[in-house]
Amino acid sequence: MSAQDTCQESVYNELFRNIAPLLRNFLCFKYNNIEGAEDMVQEAFMVLWNNCKKVMPEMAKAYVFRVAQNQMLKLVDKEKVKQKHIPFITKTTDQEDPQFKMEFSEFDLRIQQAIGRLSEGQREVFLLNRVEKKTYNEIAELLGVSVKAVEKRMHKALVKIREIHKNI
């Protein structure tokens, strides 16, 4: 089979029939999120279709598993960040004066905006390191990239955040 074969509808449909249930079950088991797992399976196969000329049918399973797992990790990280901020904001704002609340709220908004303006790779590395407290080695293994790539993404993320908000 050549790389072009994945673009053939019959080959793609067969790949979906064979791999999608396995991928869904894997994601459900690993992340305990049925709805998210189903969404990630669909998204992974859309990415496969969009890149069908680059992915040989023999590599399709590994490809969609990696895409889906990366997307699910982003979803999980986003939820963790959200959950971590809620108690902190509630705890600090209940005890502080209105001026502090306003300044903290503005600072938090600026940080969120700066993080939102990072590239996907930079944001992912930044959040995994700064929020999840993962080491560069752990992040590299999780993302399937080199430690040098993680270091470069983090450096670029920090530079960009500092450019966006000079007083951060």
Side-chain angles (χ1 to χ4, degrees), residues 6 8-24 37-49 57 60-61 64-65:
T6 304
Q8 293 175 350
E9 194 171 337
S10 61
V11 173
Y12 178 83
N13 288 339
E14 184 177 340
L15 289 169
F16 183 83
R17 278 192 303 278
N18 293 334
I19 300 170
L22 300 172
L23 180 56
R24 180 191 173 279
E38 290 171 349
D39 290 345
M40 293 308 129
V41 169
Q42 294 298 320
E43 191 167 328
F45 274 91
M46 284 178 22
V47 172
L48 175 63
W49 182 254
K61 182 177 179 181
V64 294
F65 266 73

Side-chain angles (χ1 to χ4, degrees), residues 16 95 105 117 131 160:
F16 183 83
Q95 302 169 353
S105 177
R117 290 175 61 186
V131 176
K160 189 165 188 173

